[in-house]
Amino acid sequence: FELATVLRDERSPEAAVLLRRVAALNPRHAEARHLLGLIESEAGRWDAAAGHLREAALLRPRQAIWWHALAYA
């Protein structure tokens, strides 16, 4: 997960691959779902982005910024 966050900061396409692997191994990994949502949103894949962001927000409902990101997806 931490490597994926570094790669995302560098705009590496490998970040999405690693985050998908994290989410597959642990579907309740809210941070991975949130970052996947941001990556999908940046790529213009709004439906996929909304799904990941919604799941992240539901897993961690007190993370207001995640609800904000979902509103923009």
Side-chain angles (χ1 to χ4, degrees), residues 5-25:
T5 60
V6 170
L7 292 172
R8 182 186 177 278
D9 289 343
E10 296 174 357
R11 303 278 186 213
S12 172
E14 189 180 349
V17 173
L18 291 174
L19 289 167
R20 282 188 185 91
R21 187 178 302 165
V22 170
L25 291 171

Side-chain angles (χ1 to χ4, degrees), residues 57 60-70:
R60 296 272 174 87
R62 292 186 178 206
Q63 292 288 346
I65 192 71
W66 294 0
W67 291 102
H68 179 80
L70 175 58

Side-chain angles (χ1 to χ4, degrees), residues 11-59:
R11 303 278 186 213
S12 172
E14 189 180 349
V17 173
L18 291 174
L19 289 167
R20 282 188 185 91
R21 187 178 302 165
V22 170
L25 291 171
N26 182 2
R28 298 187 54 80
H29 197 294
E31 292 84 359
R33 300 298 294 267
H34 174 72
L35 290 177
L36 272 171
L38 294 180
I39 289 170
E40 296 290 4
S41 180
E42 291 166 356
R45 294 185 289 268
W46 311 116
D47 289 340
H52 289 298
L53 292 168
R54 183 180 306 109
E55 190 63 31
L58 291 172
L59 288 168

